[in-house]
Amino acid sequence: MDQFDLGTYRRPISTSSIETQRWFDIGLNWCYGFIHEEGIKCFEKALESDPGRAFVH
């Protein structure tokens, strides 16, 4: 996914995991670009790394 320039928009969430934050931000940018299927995949990856984050659900 790093081959796509999705922009730099971030929404900090309460997690100590850099990986979770990264996947969340990528998913958010996909969703803002109206590519919801890819955004959902990224949110699922974020949940794998930190399943307790309610914001990612």
Short mmCIF file of all heavy atoms in Angstrom, two decimals:
data_model
loop_
_atom_site.label_atom_id
_atom_site.label_comp_id
_atom_site.label_asym_id
_atom_site.label_seq_id
_atom_site.Cartn_x
_atom_site.Cartn_y
_atom_site.Cartn_z
N MET A 1 0.81 -1.21 0.00
CA MET A 1 0.00 0.00 0.00
C MET A 1 0.84 1.26 0.00
O MET A 1 0.33 2.31 -0.28
CB MET A 1 -0.92 -0.01 1.21
CG MET A 1 -2.20 -0.70 0.95
SD MET A 1 -3.33 -0.37 2.27
CE MET A 1 -3.77 -2.03 2.62
N ASP A 2 2.09 1.15 0.30
CA ASP A 2 2.93 2.33 0.35
C ASP A 2 3.13 2.96 -1.02
O ASP A 2 3.62 4.07 -1.12
CB ASP A 2 4.28 1.98 0.97
CG ASP A 2 4.15 1.67 2.45
OD1 ASP A 2 3.17 2.09 3.08
OD2 ASP A 2 5.06 1.01 2.96
N GLN A 3 2.74 2.26 -2.10
CA GLN A 3 2.92 2.81 -3.42
C GLN A 3 1.91 3.91 -3.76
O GLN A 3 2.09 4.65 -4.69
CB GLN A 3 2.84 1.71 -4.47
CG GLN A 3 1.47 1.06 -4.54
CD GLN A 3 1.50 -0.27 -5.24
OE1 GLN A 3 2.48 -0.99 -5.17
NE2 GLN A 3 0.44 -0.61 -5.91
N PHE A 4 0.83 4.00 -2.99
CA PHE A 4 -0.19 5.02 -3.22
C PHE A 4 0.04 6.21 -2.31
O PHE A 4 0.28 6.04 -1.12
CB PHE A 4 -1.58 4.45 -2.96
CG PHE A 4 -1.95 3.33 -3.88
CD1 PHE A 4 -1.94 2.02 -3.43
CD2 PHE A 4 -2.29 3.56 -5.19
CE1 PHE A 4 -2.27 0.97 -4.26
CE2 PHE A 4 -2.62 2.53 -6.04
CZ PHE A 4 -2.61 1.23 -5.57
N ASP A 5 -0.08 7.40 -2.86
CA ASP A 5 0.01 8.61 -2.06
C ASP A 5 -1.40 8.98 -1.63
O ASP A 5 -2.15 9.58 -2.39
CB ASP A 5 0.65 9.74 -2.85
CG ASP A 5 0.79 11.01 -2.03
OD1 ASP A 5 0.57 10.97 -0.80
OD2 ASP A 5 1.13 12.05 -2.62
N LEU A 6 -1.75 8.59 -0.41
CA LEU A 6 -3.10 8.83 0.08
C LEU A 6 -3.23 10.14 0.84
O LEU A 6 -4.29 10.45 1.36
CB LEU A 6 -3.51 7.67 1.00
CG LEU A 6 -3.49 6.29 0.36
CD1 LEU A 6 -3.78 5.22 1.41
CD2 LEU A 6 -4.50 6.21 -0.76
N GLY A 7 -2.16 10.88 0.92
CA GLY A 7 -2.19 12.12 1.66
C GLY A 7 -1.61 11.94 3.05
O GLY A 7 -1.18 10.86 3.43
N THR A 8 -1.61 13.00 3.81
CA THR A 8 -0.97 12.98 5.13
C THR A 8 -1.94 13.18 6.27
O THR A 8 -1.52 13.39 7.40
CB THR A 8 0.11 14.08 5.20
OG1 THR A 8 -0.51 15.34 4.97
CG2 THR A 8 1.20 13.85 4.18
N TYR A 9 -3.24 13.11 6.00
CA TYR A 9 -4.21 13.33 7.06
C TYR A 9 -4.07 12.26 8.13
O TYR A 9 -3.95 11.07 7.84
CB TYR A 9 -5.64 13.33 6.52
CG TYR A 9 -6.64 13.64 7.59
CD1 TYR A 9 -6.82 14.95 8.02
CD2 TYR A 9 -7.36 12.64 8.21
CE1 TYR A 9 -7.71 15.25 9.04
CE2 TYR A 9 -8.26 12.93 9.23
CZ TYR A 9 -8.43 14.24 9.63
OH TYR A 9 -9.30 14.52 10.65
N ARG A 10 -4.06 12.68 9.40
CA ARG A 10 -3.97 11.77 10.54
C ARG A 10 -5.07 12.09 11.53
O ARG A 10 -5.48 13.23 11.66
CB ARG A 10 -2.63 11.94 11.28
CG ARG A 10 -1.44 11.52 10.50
CD ARG A 10 -0.18 11.54 11.37
NE ARG A 10 -0.22 10.36 12.27
CZ ARG A 10 -0.24 10.42 13.61
NH1 ARG A 10 -0.22 11.57 14.23
NH2 ARG A 10 -0.27 9.33 14.35
N ARG A 11 -5.50 11.08 12.23
CA ARG A 11 -6.44 11.24 13.33
C ARG A 11 -5.87 10.42 14.49
O ARG A 11 -6.00 9.20 14.51
CB ARG A 11 -7.82 10.73 12.93
CG ARG A 11 -8.80 10.66 14.06
CD ARG A 11 -9.29 12.02 14.41
NE ARG A 11 -10.33 11.88 15.43
CZ ARG A 11 -10.76 12.87 16.15
NH1 ARG A 11 -10.28 14.07 15.96
NH2 ARG A 11 -11.68 12.69 17.05
N PRO A 12 -5.19 11.07 15.42
CA PRO A 12 -4.60 10.32 16.53
C PRO A 12 -5.67 9.59 17.34
O PRO A 12 -6.74 10.13 17.62
CB PRO A 12 -3.94 11.40 17.38
CG PRO A 12 -3.73 12.55 16.46
CD PRO A 12 -4.87 12.50 15.49
N ILE A 13 -5.39 8.32 17.66
CA ILE A 13 -6.27 7.53 18.50
C ILE A 13 -5.48 7.10 19.73
O ILE A 13 -4.25 7.16 19.75
CB ILE A 13 -6.85 6.31 17.75
CG1 ILE A 13 -5.73 5.39 17.24
CG2 ILE A 13 -7.73 6.75 16.61
CD1 ILE A 13 -6.22 4.10 16.61
N SER A 14 -6.18 6.67 20.74
CA SER A 14 -5.52 6.32 22.00
C SER A 14 -4.94 4.90 21.93
O SER A 14 -5.56 3.95 22.39
CB SER A 14 -6.49 6.44 23.17
OG SER A 14 -7.57 5.56 22.97
N THR A 15 -3.79 4.79 21.33
CA THR A 15 -3.08 3.52 21.25
C THR A 15 -1.59 3.77 21.42
O THR A 15 -1.10 4.84 21.05
CB THR A 15 -3.35 2.78 19.93
OG1 THR A 15 -2.69 1.51 19.96
CG2 THR A 15 -2.87 3.56 18.73
N SER A 16 -0.91 2.81 21.97
CA SER A 16 0.54 2.94 22.09
C SER A 16 1.24 2.23 20.94
O SER A 16 2.46 2.27 20.83
CB SER A 16 1.02 2.37 23.43
OG SER A 16 0.64 1.01 23.53
N SER A 17 0.46 1.59 20.08
CA SER A 17 1.01 0.83 18.96
C SER A 17 1.16 1.72 17.72
O SER A 17 0.16 2.24 17.20
CB SER A 17 0.09 -0.35 18.64
OG SER A 17 0.48 -0.97 17.43
N ILE A 18 2.37 1.85 17.26
CA ILE A 18 2.62 2.63 16.04
C ILE A 18 1.96 1.96 14.83
O ILE A 18 1.42 2.62 13.96
CB ILE A 18 4.14 2.78 15.82
CG1 ILE A 18 4.74 3.63 16.93
CG2 ILE A 18 4.43 3.39 14.45
CD1 ILE A 18 6.26 3.66 16.95
N GLU A 19 1.99 0.63 14.82
CA GLU A 19 1.39 -0.12 13.71
C GLU A 19 -0.12 0.11 13.64
O GLU A 19 -0.67 0.32 12.56
CB GLU A 19 1.70 -1.61 13.86
CG GLU A 19 1.16 -2.45 12.73
CD GLU A 19 1.47 -3.92 12.91
OE1 GLU A 19 2.06 -4.31 13.92
OE2 GLU A 19 1.07 -4.68 12.01
N THR A 20 -0.78 0.08 14.79
CA THR A 20 -2.23 0.31 14.82
C THR A 20 -2.56 1.70 14.32
O THR A 20 -3.46 1.87 13.51
CB THR A 20 -2.77 0.14 16.26
OG1 THR A 20 -2.46 -1.18 16.71
CG2 THR A 20 -4.27 0.38 16.32
N GLN A 21 -1.81 2.70 14.77
CA GLN A 21 -2.05 4.08 14.32
C GLN A 21 -1.83 4.21 12.82
O GLN A 21 -2.61 4.85 12.13
CB GLN A 21 -1.13 5.04 15.08
CG GLN A 21 -1.34 6.49 14.71
CD GLN A 21 -2.69 7.04 15.15
OE1 GLN A 21 -3.01 7.01 16.32
NE2 GLN A 21 -3.48 7.54 14.21
N ARG A 22 -0.79 3.57 12.33
CA ARG A 22 -0.47 3.64 10.89
C ARG A 22 -1.61 3.03 10.07
O ARG A 22 -2.08 3.65 9.11
CB ARG A 22 0.84 2.91 10.60
CG ARG A 22 1.23 2.93 9.15
CD ARG A 22 2.59 2.23 8.96
NE ARG A 22 2.94 2.17 7.58
CZ ARG A 22 2.59 1.19 6.74
NH1 ARG A 22 1.87 0.19 7.18
NH2 ARG A 22 2.95 1.23 5.48
N TRP A 23 -2.05 1.82 10.42
CA TRP A 23 -3.14 1.18 9.67
C TRP A 23 -4.43 1.97 9.78
O TRP A 23 -5.18 2.08 8.80
CB TRP A 23 -3.36 -0.25 10.16
CG TRP A 23 -2.37 -1.22 9.60
CD1 TRP A 23 -1.43 -1.91 10.29
CD2 TRP A 23 -2.20 -1.58 8.23
NE1 TRP A 23 -0.69 -2.68 9.43
CE2 TRP A 23 -1.15 -2.50 8.15
CE3 TRP A 23 -2.84 -1.21 7.05
CZ2 TRP A 23 -0.73 -3.07 6.95
CZ3 TRP A 23 -2.43 -1.76 5.85
CH2 TRP A 23 -1.38 -2.68 5.81
N PHE A 24 -4.69 2.56 10.94
CA PHE A 24 -5.89 3.37 11.10
C PHE A 24 -5.85 4.58 10.18
O PHE A 24 -6.83 4.89 9.49
CB PHE A 24 -6.07 3.81 12.55
CG PHE A 24 -7.28 4.67 12.74
CD1 PHE A 24 -8.55 4.11 12.82
CD2 PHE A 24 -7.16 6.05 12.83
CE1 PHE A 24 -9.67 4.91 12.97
CE2 PHE A 24 -8.28 6.85 12.98
CZ PHE A 24 -9.53 6.28 13.05
N ASP A 25 -4.72 5.27 10.15
CA ASP A 25 -4.59 6.47 9.30
C ASP A 25 -4.73 6.13 7.82
O ASP A 25 -5.38 6.85 7.07
CB ASP A 25 -3.25 7.16 9.55
CG ASP A 25 -3.18 7.81 10.92
OD1 ASP A 25 -4.23 8.11 11.50
OD2 ASP A 25 -2.05 8.02 11.41
N ILE A 26 -4.12 5.02 7.40
CA ILE A 26 -4.24 4.60 6.00
C ILE A 26 -5.69 4.27 5.68
O ILE A 26 -6.22 4.69 4.63
CB ILE A 26 -3.32 3.40 5.71
CG1 ILE A 26 -1.85 3.82 5.80
CG2 ILE A 26 -3.61 2.82 4.32
CD1 ILE A 26 -0.87 2.65 5.77
N GLY A 27 -6.35 3.54 6.57
CA GLY A 27 -7.76 3.20 6.36
C GLY A 27 -8.64 4.43 6.28
O GLY A 27 -9.55 4.51 5.45
N LEU A 28 -8.37 5.39 7.13
CA LEU A 28 -9.14 6.62 7.13
C LEU A 28 -8.97 7.37 5.80
O LEU A 28 -9.96 7.84 5.22
CB LEU A 28 -8.69 7.51 8.29
CG LEU A 28 -9.58 8.66 8.69
CD1 LEU A 28 -10.94 8.16 9.14
CD2 LEU A 28 -8.93 9.47 9.80
N ASN A 29 -7.76 7.43 5.31
CA ASN A 29 -7.52 8.10 4.03
C ASN A 29 -8.18 7.37 2.86
O ASN A 29 -8.71 8.00 1.95
CB ASN A 29 -6.02 8.27 3.79
CG ASN A 29 -5.45 9.42 4.57
OD1 ASN A 29 -5.94 10.54 4.49
ND2 ASN A 29 -4.43 9.15 5.37
N TRP A 30 -8.17 6.04 2.89
CA TRP A 30 -8.89 5.28 1.85
C TRP A 30 -10.37 5.61 1.90
O TRP A 30 -11.01 5.84 0.86
CB TRP A 30 -8.70 3.79 2.04
CG TRP A 30 -7.46 3.19 1.45
CD1 TRP A 30 -6.47 2.57 2.13
CD2 TRP A 30 -7.08 3.15 0.07
NE1 TRP A 30 -5.50 2.14 1.26
CE2 TRP A 30 -5.85 2.47 -0.01
CE3 TRP A 30 -7.66 3.60 -1.11
CZ2 TRP A 30 -5.19 2.25 -1.21
CZ3 TRP A 30 -7.01 3.38 -2.30
CH2 TRP A 30 -5.79 2.72 -2.36
N CYS A 31 -10.94 5.65 3.10
CA CYS A 31 -12.38 5.94 3.22
C CYS A 31 -12.70 7.36 2.77
O CYS A 31 -13.73 7.58 2.13
CB CYS A 31 -12.84 5.70 4.65
SG CYS A 31 -12.95 3.95 5.08
N TYR A 32 -11.83 8.31 3.10
CA TYR A 32 -12.06 9.68 2.65
C TYR A 32 -11.96 9.78 1.13
O TYR A 32 -12.54 10.67 0.53
CB TYR A 32 -11.06 10.64 3.29
CG TYR A 32 -11.39 11.00 4.73
CD1 TYR A 32 -10.44 11.55 5.56
CD2 TYR A 32 -12.66 10.81 5.26
CE1 TYR A 32 -10.73 11.89 6.87
CE2 TYR A 32 -12.96 11.14 6.57
CZ TYR A 32 -11.98 11.68 7.36
OH TYR A 32 -12.28 12.01 8.66
N GLY A 33 -11.23 8.84 0.51
CA GLY A 33 -11.14 8.79 -0.95
C GLY A 33 -12.24 7.95 -1.57
O GLY A 33 -12.20 7.66 -2.76
N PHE A 34 -13.23 7.55 -0.76
CA PHE A 34 -14.39 6.76 -1.19
C PHE A 34 -14.02 5.37 -1.69
O PHE A 34 -14.73 4.79 -2.50
CB PHE A 34 -15.21 7.52 -2.26
CG PHE A 34 -15.78 8.80 -1.73
CD1 PHE A 34 -15.18 10.02 -2.03
CD2 PHE A 34 -16.89 8.79 -0.91
CE1 PHE A 34 -15.69 11.20 -1.52
CE2 PHE A 34 -17.41 9.97 -0.41
CZ PHE A 34 -16.81 11.18 -0.72
N ILE A 35 -12.91 4.83 -1.21
CA ILE A 35 -12.53 3.45 -1.50
C ILE A 35 -12.73 2.67 -0.19
O ILE A 35 -11.80 2.29 0.50
CB ILE A 35 -11.06 3.36 -2.00
CG1 ILE A 35 -10.76 4.38 -3.08
CG2 ILE A 35 -10.75 1.94 -2.46
CD1 ILE A 35 -11.56 4.21 -4.35
N HIS A 36 -13.99 2.48 0.15
CA HIS A 36 -14.35 1.93 1.46
C HIS A 36 -13.86 0.50 1.68
O HIS A 36 -13.50 0.15 2.80
CB HIS A 36 -15.86 2.03 1.65
CG HIS A 36 -16.35 3.43 1.59
ND1 HIS A 36 -17.28 3.84 0.67
CD2 HIS A 36 -16.00 4.53 2.30
CE1 HIS A 36 -17.51 5.14 0.83
NE2 HIS A 36 -16.75 5.58 1.81
N GLU A 37 -13.83 -0.31 0.63
CA GLU A 37 -13.40 -1.70 0.79
C GLU A 37 -11.95 -1.76 1.28
O GLU A 37 -11.62 -2.55 2.17
CB GLU A 37 -13.53 -2.46 -0.53
CG GLU A 37 -14.96 -2.62 -1.01
CD GLU A 37 -15.47 -1.40 -1.79
OE1 GLU A 37 -14.66 -0.49 -2.12
OE2 GLU A 37 -16.68 -1.35 -2.04
N GLU A 38 -11.08 -0.94 0.72
CA GLU A 38 -9.68 -0.92 1.14
C GLU A 38 -9.54 -0.34 2.54
O GLU A 38 -8.71 -0.77 3.33
CB GLU A 38 -8.82 -0.13 0.15
CG GLU A 38 -8.66 -0.81 -1.18
CD GLU A 38 -7.98 -2.17 -1.08
OE1 GLU A 38 -7.01 -2.31 -0.30
OE2 GLU A 38 -8.41 -3.09 -1.78
N GLY A 39 -10.36 0.67 2.85
CA GLY A 39 -10.35 1.24 4.19
C GLY A 39 -10.70 0.22 5.25
O GLY A 39 -10.06 0.13 6.29
N ILE A 40 -11.71 -0.59 4.95
CA ILE A 40 -12.13 -1.63 5.90
C ILE A 40 -11.01 -2.64 6.12
O ILE A 40 -10.75 -3.06 7.25
CB ILE A 40 -13.41 -2.32 5.40
CG1 ILE A 40 -14.59 -1.34 5.50
CG2 ILE A 40 -13.70 -3.60 6.17
CD1 ILE A 40 -15.84 -1.80 4.79
N LYS A 41 -10.31 -3.02 5.05
CA LYS A 41 -9.18 -3.95 5.18
C LYS A 41 -8.10 -3.38 6.10
O LYS A 41 -7.52 -4.11 6.91
CB LYS A 41 -8.57 -4.25 3.81
CG LYS A 41 -9.45 -5.09 2.92
CD LYS A 41 -8.79 -5.27 1.57
CE LYS A 41 -9.72 -5.90 0.56
NZ LYS A 41 -9.11 -6.01 -0.77
N CYS A 42 -7.85 -2.09 5.99
CA CYS A 42 -6.85 -1.45 6.84
C CYS A 42 -7.31 -1.41 8.30
O CYS A 42 -6.51 -1.63 9.21
CB CYS A 42 -6.54 -0.05 6.34
SG CYS A 42 -5.74 -0.02 4.73
N PHE A 43 -8.58 -1.11 8.52
CA PHE A 43 -9.10 -1.10 9.88
C PHE A 43 -9.02 -2.50 10.50
O PHE A 43 -8.72 -2.64 11.69
CB PHE A 43 -10.53 -0.59 9.92
CG PHE A 43 -10.68 0.86 9.54
CD1 PHE A 43 -11.77 1.29 8.81
CD2 PHE A 43 -9.73 1.79 9.90
CE1 PHE A 43 -11.92 2.62 8.46
CE2 PHE A 43 -9.86 3.13 9.55
CZ PHE A 43 -10.96 3.54 8.83
N GLU A 44 -9.25 -3.54 9.69
CA GLU A 44 -9.12 -4.91 10.18
C GLU A 44 -7.67 -5.20 10.57
O GLU A 44 -7.42 -5.87 11.57
CB GLU A 44 -9.62 -5.89 9.13
CG GLU A 44 -11.13 -5.85 8.97
CD GLU A 44 -11.66 -6.64 7.80
OE1 GLU A 44 -10.86 -7.07 6.92
OE2 GLU A 44 -12.89 -6.84 7.74
N LYS A 45 -6.71 -4.71 9.80
CA LYS A 45 -5.29 -4.88 10.15
C LYS A 45 -4.98 -4.14 11.45
O LYS A 45 -4.22 -4.63 12.28
CB LYS A 45 -4.39 -4.34 9.03
CG LYS A 45 -4.37 -5.18 7.81
CD LYS A 45 -3.48 -6.36 8.04
CE LYS A 45 -3.17 -7.01 6.72
NZ LYS A 45 -2.35 -8.19 6.88
N ALA A 46 -5.56 -2.97 11.62
CA ALA A 46 -5.35 -2.21 12.86
C ALA A 46 -5.90 -2.99 14.05
O ALA A 46 -5.28 -3.03 15.11
CB ALA A 46 -6.01 -0.84 12.77
N LEU A 47 -7.03 -3.63 13.88
CA LEU A 47 -7.62 -4.43 14.96
C LEU A 47 -6.79 -5.66 15.29
O LEU A 47 -6.74 -6.09 16.44
CB LEU A 47 -9.04 -4.85 14.60
CG LEU A 47 -10.10 -3.77 14.73
CD1 LEU A 47 -11.43 -4.25 14.17
CD2 LEU A 47 -10.24 -3.33 16.18
N GLU A 48 -6.13 -6.23 14.29
CA GLU A 48 -5.25 -7.37 14.54
C GLU A 48 -4.11 -7.00 15.47
O GLU A 48 -3.73 -7.77 16.33
CB GLU A 48 -4.68 -7.91 13.22
CG GLU A 48 -5.65 -8.66 12.37
CD GLU A 48 -5.04 -9.07 11.04
OE1 GLU A 48 -3.80 -9.06 10.90
OE2 GLU A 48 -5.82 -9.41 10.14
N SER A 49 -3.57 -5.80 15.29
CA SER A 49 -2.43 -5.39 16.10
C SER A 49 -2.84 -4.84 17.47
O SER A 49 -2.04 -4.84 18.40
CB SER A 49 -1.57 -4.37 15.35
OG SER A 49 -2.31 -3.20 15.08
N ASP A 50 -4.07 -4.37 17.60
CA ASP A 50 -4.55 -3.84 18.89
C ASP A 50 -6.07 -4.01 18.96
O ASP A 50 -6.82 -3.07 18.70
CB ASP A 50 -4.15 -2.38 19.02
CG ASP A 50 -4.35 -1.83 20.43
OD1 ASP A 50 -4.90 -2.55 21.28
OD2 ASP A 50 -3.93 -0.69 20.68
N PRO A 51 -6.55 -5.21 19.30
CA PRO A 51 -7.98 -5.50 19.25
C PRO A 51 -8.84 -4.72 20.24
O PRO A 51 -10.04 -4.67 20.11
CB PRO A 51 -8.06 -7.00 19.54
CG PRO A 51 -6.75 -7.41 20.07
CD PRO A 51 -5.76 -6.36 19.70
N GLY A 52 -8.24 -4.07 21.21
CA GLY A 52 -9.02 -3.35 22.22
C GLY A 52 -9.39 -1.93 21.86
O GLY A 52 -10.02 -1.24 22.65
N ARG A 53 -9.02 -1.45 20.70
CA ARG A 53 -9.29 -0.07 20.32
C ARG A 53 -10.71 0.08 19.81
O ARG A 53 -11.05 -0.33 18.71
CB ARG A 53 -8.35 0.42 19.22
CG ARG A 53 -6.94 0.65 19.61
CD ARG A 53 -6.80 1.61 20.75
NE ARG A 53 -6.33 0.83 21.89
CZ ARG A 53 -6.55 1.13 23.14
NH1 ARG A 53 -7.21 2.18 23.49
NH2 ARG A 53 -6.10 0.35 24.11
N ALA A 54 -11.57 0.67 20.61
CA ALA A 54 -12.97 0.86 20.23
C ALA A 54 -13.09 1.79 19.03
O ALA A 54 -13.98 1.61 18.19
CB ALA A 54 -13.75 1.43 21.41
N PHE A 55 -12.21 2.77 18.94
CA PHE A 55 -12.30 3.75 17.84
C PHE A 55 -12.13 3.08 16.49
O PHE A 55 -12.73 3.50 15.51
CB PHE A 55 -11.22 4.83 18.04
CG PHE A 55 -11.56 6.13 17.38
CD1 PHE A 55 -12.32 7.07 18.06
CD2 PHE A 55 -11.12 6.43 16.12
CE1 PHE A 55 -12.64 8.29 17.48
CE2 PHE A 55 -11.44 7.64 15.52
CZ PHE A 55 -12.21 8.56 16.20
N VAL A 56 -11.32 2.04 16.42
CA VAL A 56 -11.08 1.34 15.15
C VAL A 56 -12.31 0.54 14.73
O VAL A 56 -12.58 0.40 13.56
CB VAL A 56 -9.83 0.44 15.25
CG1 VAL A 56 -9.59 -0.26 13.93
CG2 VAL A 56 -8.61 1.25 15.65
N HIS A 57 -13.07 0.05 15.70
CA HIS A 57 -14.29 -0.71 15.37
C HIS A 57 -15.26 0.19 14.65
O HIS A 57 -15.97 -0.18 13.81
CB HIS A 57 -14.95 -1.27 16.63
CG HIS A 57 -14.26 -2.46 17.16
ND1 HIS A 57 -14.46 -3.72 16.68
CD2 HIS A 57 -13.33 -2.61 18.14
CE1 HIS A 57 -13.72 -4.59 17.33
NE2 HIS A 57 -13.03 -3.94 18.23
#
